[in-house]
Amino acid sequence: MVTDLQLIEEHAETIEDVMLYIRVHIHEPLNREVLAQVAGFSVPHFHRVFTAQVGESAVGYVRRLRLERAGRKLRMGAVDITEVARAAGYESHAAFSKAFKQQYGLSPSEFRQLGCSKATQLLTKGSGK
Amino acid sequence: MKIKLTSVSIDDYDKALKFYTEVMGFLPKRDIPLGEGARWITVVSPEDPNGTELLLEPNAGYPAMKALKESLVKDGIPFTAFEVNDIQGEYERMKSLGVEFTMEPTNMGMTTAAVFDDTCGNLIQIYQIMGE
């Protein structure tokens, strides 16, 4: 039986490449099929390897990365929350606010009112990494 | 008194010089040997070749600088910033050269800003002042 440890050791480089691909192509549709293809794996195998390596699913990782990037924009003073929401892959302000609050415990508007230090702490803590 | 020099922390002279000239588009200004492999390397903007020089400072291995750089990157905070006239154009040009942006051009009110990885261990911001 292949253990998670074996999966991590054997495929560390491939998953690093996938994570770089995700960061570079973060504004494009990134579903499991696309990412599995980048890795050269079947979808179920990719899901297993990615989760073992990163500690969360690829879909969850992409969502978290997008919310974190959105949070950084808000911290830096982004004025248009709808623009931030759209760039993070959300079609509506409401859906983005809900996901953001779930991740960080504050709405985007509330988060924007925080000082840089507090916002940074929250982003770091909320990312779980 | 005037501000004539600023610096960015790098780890490798040649890699940094390549990125800051070939990708960012700055011009080499000085490359002065300082002995024992050390060099004083500066670049300037082609729009202001006699203006402020950017020193490529090889101090990334100094423990305190290493810790600072890693913390800034982890928290997504730019090391420094450069003004551009057309941020969308620069973003697209640099992206086509393979630059990894951690923030695409975003409306900040008075400015539109973007942030990218300079491959030397720093996040760098570019910004366009709007409405001038």
Side-chain angles (χ1 to χ4, degrees), chain A residues 53-109:
Chain A
Q53 173 83 22
V54 182
E56 62 188 323
S57 71
V59 171
Y61 175 78
V62 169
R63 186 192 309 119
R64 183 171 62 75
L65 196 63
R66 284 176 173 159
L67 286 172
E68 190 181 319
R69 290 165 67 104
R72 288 179 180 181
K73 289 178 190 175
L74 294 170
R75 179 191 61 190
M76 289 177 74
V79 294
D80 186 346
I81 293 179
T82 304
E83 181 196 48
V84 174
R86 204 166 35 242
Y90 293 86
E91 287 181 8
S92 73
H93 187 307
F96 171 65
S97 290
K98 188 178 171 188
F100 193 88
K101 190 159 189 171
Q102 202 168 24
Q103 179 86 9
Y104 297 112
L106 291 176
S107 72
S109 305

Side-chain angles (χ1 to χ4, degrees), chain A residues 20 23-27 68-69 72-73 75-80 83-84 87 116 120 123-124 129, chain B residues 73-78 91 95 98-109 113 115 123 125:
Chain A
L20 175 61
R23 293 199 300 274
V24 173
H25 298 268
I26 194 74
H27 302 298
E68 190 181 319
R69 290 165 67 104
R72 288 179 180 181
K73 289 178 190 175
R75 179 191 61 190
M76 289 177 74
V79 294
D80 186 346
E83 181 196 48
V84 174
C116 182
T120 301
L123 283 176
T124 307
K129 296 284 164 185
Chain B
V73 170
K74 180 171 168 285
D75 291 345
I77 296 174
Y91 168 73
K95 207 163 165 54
V99 175
E100 180 190 341
F101 276 81
T102 62
M103 186 176 89
E104 73 283 8
T106 302
N107 177 9
M108 301 292 173
V115 179
L123 296 179
Q125 178 175 311

Side-chain angles (χ1 to χ4, degrees), chain A residues 107-129:
Chain A
S107 72
S109 305
E110 290 166 337
F111 181 85
R112 201 167 45 178
Q113 304 304 316
L114 297 176
C116 182
S117 174
K118 184 78 182 165
T120 301
Q121 279 178 16
L122 204 58
L123 283 176
T124 307
K125 187 178 163 193
S127 71
K129 296 284 164 185

Side-chain angles (χ1 to χ4, degrees), chain B residues 61-77:
Chain B
Y62 174 56
M65 180 56 79
K66 188 169 184 287
L68 172 66
K69 283 166 66 108
E70 286 173 358
S71 294
L72 289 174
V73 170
K74 180 171 168 285
D75 291 345
I77 296 174

